[in-house]
């Protein structure tokens, strides 16, 4: 059976929507932090360890506000303060292992348990084929421009 790229794209988009609706992660509110706390965690994850003052400057917040945010995240075990090895007068703030794990969990979109049960119901060869196909689609997309071509 021949399938045009346009038809395949439309069918995949329909199926992707169904997959998302069936497997997206549901449950109680997941976030362990406020939007400001999330922003601080993301910034530290990208920028690396910073002092509270540096973080306040980068995020355009008062140092006192940043200290309160950092204190709250530290109480939750998501951040830790450590001495700067190059300048012992400076104290840096950095993500703990628990902070990195919590951020990864917060980013999860699909429910792993539901997916695992669905994959368990498939035969081994079907699982392998499905994963290879999705991997191929992702790989080829790396070479495509992000913006679709405009039709005249």
């Amino acid at each position: 059976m021949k399938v045009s790229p346009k038809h395949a794209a439309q069918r995949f988009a329909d199926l992707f929507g169904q997959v998302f609706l069936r497997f997206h992660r549901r449950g109680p509110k997941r976030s362990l932090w406020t939007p400001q706390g999330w922003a601080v965690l993301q910034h530290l994850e990208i920028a690396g360890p910073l002092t509270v003052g540096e973080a306040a400057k980068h995020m355009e917040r008062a140092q006192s506000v940043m200290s309160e945010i950092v204190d709250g995240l530290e109480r939750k075990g998501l951040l830790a303060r450590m001495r700067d090895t190059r300048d012992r007068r400076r104290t840096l703030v950095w993500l703990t292992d628990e902070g990195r794990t919590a951020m990864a969990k917060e980013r999860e979109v699909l429910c792993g348990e539901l997916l695992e049960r669905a994959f368990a119901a498939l035969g081994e060869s079907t699982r392998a084929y499905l994963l290879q196909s999705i991997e191929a689609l992702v790989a080829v997309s790396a070479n495509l421009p992000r913006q679709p071509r405009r039709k005249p």
Side-chain angles (χ1 to χ4, degrees):
M1 165 176 62
K2 288 189 174 186
V3 179
S4 72
K6 182 177 182 176
H7 178 75
Q10 289 171 340
R11 186 70 184 125
F12 181 82
D14 291 343
L15 290 169
F16 183 83
Q18 291 177 45
V19 167
F20 179 79
L21 289 174
R22 287 191 172 102
F23 295 103
H24 83 274
R25 193 173 146 193
R26 294 175 176 88
K29 184 180 176 194
R30 298 180 292 177
S31 185
L32 299 170
W33 44 77
T34 64
Q36 296 84 4
W38 175 248
V40 169
L41 292 170
Q42 285 182 307
H43 188 80
L44 288 171
E45 188 175 47
I46 293 166
L50 298 170
T51 67
V52 171
E54 290 167 343
K57 183 178 177 181
H58 285 286
M59 301 194 67
E60 299 178 350
R61 298 281 185 263
Q63 187 164 341
S64 60
V65 171
M66 186 58 62
S67 287
E68 286 180 32
I69 294 169
V70 167
D71 288 346
L73 293 170
E74 187 176 25
R75 279 192 298 277
K76 292 176 181 176
L78 303 171
L79 295 181
R81 296 173 198 260
M82 59 186 183
R83 289 278 176 214
D84 186 339
T85 56
R86 292 177 283 175
D87 182 348
R88 303 293 293 168
R89 296 170 294 176
R90 291 171 24 111
T91 300
L92 300 171
V93 178
W94 186 227
L95 298 170
T96 61
D97 290 341
E98 293 83 11
R100 281 192 221 50
T101 300
M103 289 184 73
K105 192 160 189 69
E106 186 74 14
R107 287 187 182 114
E108 287 178 0
V109 175
L110 302 178
C111 176
E113 182 183 329
L114 283 174
L115 280 168
E116 185 176 344
R117 290 194 322 232
F119 274 103
L122 297 173
E124 187 175 340
S125 62
T126 302
R127 279 194 304 266
Y129 181 73
L130 178 60
L131 292 174
Q132 287 173 340
S133 298
I134 293 172
E135 288 167 353
L137 184 64
V138 170
V140 75
S141 73
N143 298 320
L144 299 174
R146 285 292 296 154
Q147 296 298 320
R149 290 182 295 180
R150 303 264 182 215
K151 293 182 181 179

